[in-house]
Amino acid sequence: MQGWHTLQTDPPLHLYRGVLGEPAADMLLAQLDRELEWQRPRLKLYGREHPIPRRQVWMGDGDAHYRYSGRDFPPEPWHPAVVALRDGIIRLLSERSVSARFNSVLLNRYADGGERMGWHSDDEPELGPEPIIAAVSLGAERPLRFRWKQAGHEPFNVWLPHDSLLLMGPGCQRELQHALLPRKTPGLRISLTFRHVQASGH
């Protein structure tokens, strides 16, 4: 079923199915897989460097530098298809009276279910105190696992189908962590998590 589905309201978590519609979503998945220069940086963990268990591209405005795991990531220039998707998401959110602006996006490419993203919150200082994160999923459907930072609540899964948008509103990064855990799921998946990075000095 297309349209918005409210998963919880405190903190706000919403899923939208049918962002682009087919075959546009299929075409975008193939285009991004083919045209982007996917990278596998090495990050330091417990004093040792390891390649990340997926491939990624950090993309955005020229001043949208991002730092995590001790590394600074200068942005790649916007791809025209990603700009069009970003603008469409902003319009979609405005229809729900959600005012959002995105000057950057982290794209992650998972070749199969064995590639993953560990537990984290998107709460880096440059994202501001209450960031809004809009995550688009293309390709193989997988669950995003959530857990609460404070004890007393059960963890839960949010299944992210092809051509869907997960909106993580204010408070989600403060109260929750999320991860894409390994799963025996075949097929390529690309996620695009749009966010607003505050420029240096702000």
Side-chain angles (χ1 to χ4, degrees):
M1 183 182 297
Q2 292 190 343
W4 285 104
H5 305 269
T6 297
L7 307 175
Q8 62 178 41
T9 57
D10 187 20
L13 198 60
H14 307 277
L15 183 68
Y16 185 89
R17 296 172 181 263
V19 176
L20 293 170
E22 296 185 20
D26 301 338
M27 293 173 61
L28 181 59
L29 174 66
Q31 183 181 16
L32 296 178
D33 185 37
R34 181 178 64 249
E35 296 182 3
L36 297 189
E37 294 186 13
W38 295 100
Q39 305 153 11
R40 180 166 278 171
R42 299 179 67 88
L43 300 179
K44 187 170 287 188
L45 183 67
Y46 303 119
R48 299 182 61 183
E49 282 196 347
H50 303 271
I52 64 171
R54 61 193 174 279
R55 295 187 185 274
Q56 71 175 34
V57 176
W58 174 249
M59 184 183 296
D61 295 352
D63 60 354
H65 284 242
Y66 196 47
R67 184 173 181 82
Y68 70 94
S69 295
R71 283 198 54 178
D72 185 67
F73 290 89
E76 298 290 329
W78 285 104
H79 187 287
V82 179
V83 170
L85 177 61
R86 178 200 65 187
D87 293 346
I89 290 170
I90 291 173
R91 288 193 299 270
L92 186 65
L93 296 180
S94 69
E95 294 172 1
R96 291 181 62 86
S97 300
V98 176
S99 177
R101 55 193 180 120
F102 304 118
N103 64 359
S104 50
V105 59
L106 179 62
L107 299 99
N108 283 296
R109 181 189 185 276
Y110 305 90
D112 54 38
E115 297 198 332
R116 64 195 188 278
M117 170 79 80
W119 286 106
H120 70 286
S121 296
D122 296 314
D123 57 359
E124 290 77 12
E126 58 266 38
L127 297 180
E130 296 286 3
I132 294 175
I133 307 291
V136 174
S137 294
L138 300 172
E141 182 174 9
R142 288 178 65 177
L144 193 64
R145 185 73 168 169
F146 284 88
R147 68 184 182 189
W148 298 84
K149 294 182 181 179
Q150 301 243 346
H153 298 280
E154 291 294 322
F156 59 95
N157 285 338
V158 174
W159 283 86
L160 302 175
H162 177 50
D163 193 27
S164 66
L165 164 66
L166 179 66
L167 178 64
M168 293 182 277
C172 283
Q173 308 308 317
R174 183 181 67 249
E175 298 187 32
L176 294 164
Q177 289 185 324
H178 54 276
L180 193 77
L181 302 177
R183 198 175 186 93
K184 293 181 179 180
T185 305
L188 171 68
R189 177 180 185 269
I190 292 177
S191 68
L192 306 91
T193 52
F194 292 89
R195 74 262 329 259
H196 183 83
V197 171
Q198 298 175 350
S200 300
H202 289 72

